Amino acid sequence: MPAYDYVCRECGARFEVRMSMAAYAESVTPDCEQCGSSRVERAFTAVSVLTGGRGGGASSAASCGSGRFT
Ligand SMILES: [Zn+2]
């Protein structure tokens, strides 16, 4: 299940929520983990930050992309 970043407009907290792509497509918005506010919106993050370097060896490269879970 993919994870999506959300930002709370109330307290500014940023958190990650795992939900199905179906739920995401239906714009299901979670409440803020911090203050419980429903004024939460999606944060579109640059998933892979270009820090000018390869060779991290971090395994996160494979985590994005394929959302095919059929
Ligand atoms: Zn909040």
Side-chain angles (χ1 to χ4, degrees):
M1 195 173 288
Y4 302 96
D5 275 330
Y6 285 86
V7 173
C8 175
R9 313 238 339 176
E10 209 72 53
C11 71
R14 187 184 190 118
F15 52 94
E16 201 179 53
V17 176
R18 290 177 186 280
M19 64 170 70
S20 67
M21 294 194 70
Y24 186 73
E26 288 176 24
S27 300
V28 174
T29 308
D31 289 339
C32 174
E33 288 185 344
Q34 200 95 22
C35 69
S37 170
S38 55
R39 294 185 60 205
V40 170
E41 59 180 34
R42 293 171 183 167
F44 294 97
T45 46
V47 178
S48 50
V49 185
L50 301 175
T51 44
R54 48 180 75 178
S59 58
S60 60
S63 63
C64 77
S66 68
R68 25 184 67 197
F69 248 93
T70 46

